[in-house]
Amino acid sequence: MYRADISGREEGSTMLEIPILGLLSEAPMHGYELRKRLSALLGTFRAFSYGSLYPSLRRLQEAGWIDEEDVPIEEPAGGFGTRSRRGKRVYRLTAEGKEHFAALLAEVGPDAYDDEGFGTRLAFFAQTRSDIRLQILEGRKQRMTEQADGMRSSLARTRERLDRYTLQLQEHGLESADREVRWLNELIETERRGPNPSP
């Protein structure tokens, strides 16, 4: 699933690039703050690995999309009221990084429709063009409709052979898929009406 392309980026790493660049487009952050924000942002959609953050930051820095600087911070040094200074590494988006982030948001492929990709893209919909948002929502709706249809068909064939717990689990999965399709239909309808729909 992961392979390096000619730019040196691993396929699949885009889904971590988007939230890192997106958060840094809001404000420069040090690593710990960025890690907390990413965990809160992605926690619903993926098991965010802290070990993947700093290699990703290094790749983005090598590509010229972010840079870093040590910002001195004053802290109390002890009981004598003196203060010591230590550096804190702060990451910020470069001009090239802003362009790259905009280009990533404009890309639409199959990974934008899966659970992780869709959740990541949805988190930055406010910064995404309306036509791209609509494409992603339509693609996700098709993916979830096919998934729900497959589950419904499988359930119809195997219902009599399932124990009640497995049956309840599969019915719950089908209900969740159907509920997401309804939600996506609402989002698509709102998107088509535009930013200022009439009452």
Side-chain angles (χ1 to χ4, degrees):
M1 179 177 177
Y2 290 84
R3 68 172 186 270
D5 64 17
I6 58 173
S7 68
R9 192 171 82 221
E10 292 177 339
E11 186 179 323
S13 65
T14 300
M15 288 304 110
L16 197 52
E17 281 181 24
I18 288 175
I20 290 174
L21 296 176
L23 290 174
L24 291 179
S25 73
E26 298 171 3
M29 295 182 201
H30 55 79
Y32 177 70
E33 182 184 4
L34 185 57
R35 194 172 72 177
K36 283 198 308 183
R37 294 283 305 277
L38 282 168
S39 186
L41 181 71
L42 301 179
T44 309
F45 307 106
R46 64 178 286 177
F48 170 62
S49 166
Y50 291 148
S52 62
L53 173 59
Y54 290 99
S56 295
L57 288 170
R58 195 161 45 249
R59 273 197 308 273
L60 295 174
Q61 192 173 2
E62 288 168 357
W65 297 323
I66 65 171
D67 60 21
E68 62 177 309
E69 64 176 333
D70 284 330
V71 177
I73 297 186
E74 294 189 350
E75 293 183 332
F80 299 103
T82 58
R83 302 171 77 83
S84 64
R85 297 173 69 85
R86 66 180 179 83
K88 184 167 280 193
R89 187 168 294 173
V90 172
Y91 298 92
R92 65 184 73 248
L93 209 58
T94 64
E96 293 81 4
K98 289 177 184 176
E99 291 177 8
H100 179 62
F101 178 54
L104 287 176
L105 292 184
E107 289 176 6
V108 181
D111 61 346
Y113 311 142
D114 64 25
D115 291 346
E116 180 184 322
F118 178 69
T120 302
R121 299 296 292 270
L122 188 64
F124 295 98
F125 257 24
Q127 300 176 58
T128 305
R129 288 193 341 242
S130 177
D131 60 319
I132 300 295
R133 291 196 299 262
L134 195 53
Q135 252 184 289
I136 292 170
L137 291 171
E138 293 279 13
R140 176 65 175 181
K141 177 190 167 185
Q142 181 178 346
R143 173 79 54 92
M144 293 308 298
T145 300
E146 290 169 357
Q147 183 176 315
D149 289 346
M151 294 168 72
R152 195 172 285 107
S153 175
S154 173
L155 199 54
R157 289 193 312 270
T158 60
R159 176 181 292 274
E160 300 305 321
R161 300 195 299 271
L162 299 176
D163 64 78
R164 68 189 181 99
Y165 300 106
T166 305
L167 179 60
Q168 287 175 350
L169 182 63
Q170 293 202 7
E171 286 176 340
H172 174 69
L174 178 56
E175 287 169 10
S176 297
D178 283 338
R179 189 165 50 248
E180 181 166 343
V181 170
R182 290 193 299 272
W183 173 67
L184 288 164
N185 277 327
E186 292 172 7
L187 290 178
I188 289 167
E189 182 58 33
T190 301
E191 197 66 44
R192 285 179 175 156
R193 286 201 305 264
N196 299 305
S198 55

